[in-house]
């Protein structure tokens, strides 16, 4: 079985990346793990043309197709997202918007395959857990329309720098072991 871990932040060396690396370490004995960063992919914003509502295909051809291929290959998907102004980073949101051809709210729609399980790990610098609930809802809403089963979530407050992850590492590892 394959696991895909997505660093939903454009920062490749911060706290989100550290969480992704720890997640990969914990999953490696159980899954064939692939980790990617949203910033590894180049894609444009959704044009809102709705062509995909009729064709189940986007009129744009860029790296969205490459990232979707990673979703298709995975059995387990773990999105790790920091809070950017109380929401997921814009780069990840732009990807979500571009997934409309695979969204199950219109016919026809493309599919990434069935039976996938999705997990959310979110973090923020402050102590406000309700803000993290919003991020989790965004990711789980995305999973729902992609027909990925929501199976677990973890919110980490008071994590700004990669050094801050150390104080939450056991909590993180315990959560990831349940995947």
């Amino acid at each position: 079985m394959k696991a895909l871990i997505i660093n939903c932040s454009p920062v490749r060396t911060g706290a989100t990346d550290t969480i992704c690396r720890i997640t990969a370490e914990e999953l490696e004995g159980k899954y064939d793990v692939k980790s990617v960063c949203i910033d590894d992919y180049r894609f444009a914003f959704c044009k809102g043309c709705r062509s995909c509502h009729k064709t189940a295909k986007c009129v744009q051809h860029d790296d969205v197709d490459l990232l979707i291929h990673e979703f298709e290959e995975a059995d387990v998907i773990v999105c790790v997202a920091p809070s950017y102004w109380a929401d997921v980073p814009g780069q990840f949101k732009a990807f979500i918007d571009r997934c409309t051809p695979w969204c199950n709210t219109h016919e026809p729609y493309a599919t990434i395959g069935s039976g996938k399980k999705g997990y959310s790990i979110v973090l923020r610098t402050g102590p406000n857990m309700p803000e993290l609930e919003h991020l989790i809802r965004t990711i789980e809403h995305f999973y729902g329309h992609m027909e990925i089963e929501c199976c677990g979530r973890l919110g980490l407050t008071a994590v700004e720098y990669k050094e801050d992850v150390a104080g939450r590492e056991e909590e993180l590892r315990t959560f990831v072991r349940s995947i």
Side-chain angles (χ1 to χ4, degrees), residues 139-161:
I139 294 168
E140 289 182 348
H141 183 84
F142 166 65
Y143 283 164
H145 285 299
M146 297 290 284
E147 298 183 349
I148 298 167
E149 180 185 358
C150 300
C151 294
R153 54 168 66 180
L154 176 65
L156 301 170
T157 58
V159 176
E160 182 169 2
Y161 301 106

Side-chain angles (χ1 to χ4, degrees), residues 42-58:
R42 299 286 173 248
F43 50 85
F45 294 113
C46 177
K47 295 177 178 279
C49 68
R50 297 182 185 235
S51 291
C52 62
H53 287 219
K54 296 177 182 138
T55 65
K57 293 181 182 169
C58 185

Side-chain angles (χ1 to χ4, degrees), residues 11 18 49 65 68 72 85 91 99 106 117 125 156 162:
V11 180
T18 300
C49 68
D65 295 327
I68 284 293
E72 290 170 340
W85 284 95
Q91 293 86 341
C99 287
H106 57 81
K117 298 188 179 309
T125 61
L156 301 170
K162 60 185 172 184

Side-chain angles (χ1 to χ4, degrees), residues 64-83:
V64 165
D65 295 327
L66 296 174
L67 189 48
I68 284 293
H69 177 72
E70 299 299 343
F71 273 72
E72 290 170 340
E73 293 291 310
D75 301 293
V76 169
I77 298 160
V78 182
C79 287
V80 183
S83 175

Side-chain angles (χ1 to χ4, degrees), residues 103-143:
C103 179
N104 65 2
T105 59
H106 57 81
E107 292 285 343
Y109 65 93
T111 180
I112 60 168
S114 62
K116 298 180 187 306
K117 298 188 179 309
Y119 297 83
S120 307
I121 302 172
V122 297
L123 60 142
R124 74 175 304 257
T125 61
N128 186 346
M129 190 57 190
E131 182 176 309
L132 290 181
E133 290 293 331
H134 175 74
L135 274 75
I136 290 167
R137 281 192 305 275
T138 296
I139 294 168
E140 289 182 348
H141 183 84
F142 166 65
Y143 283 164

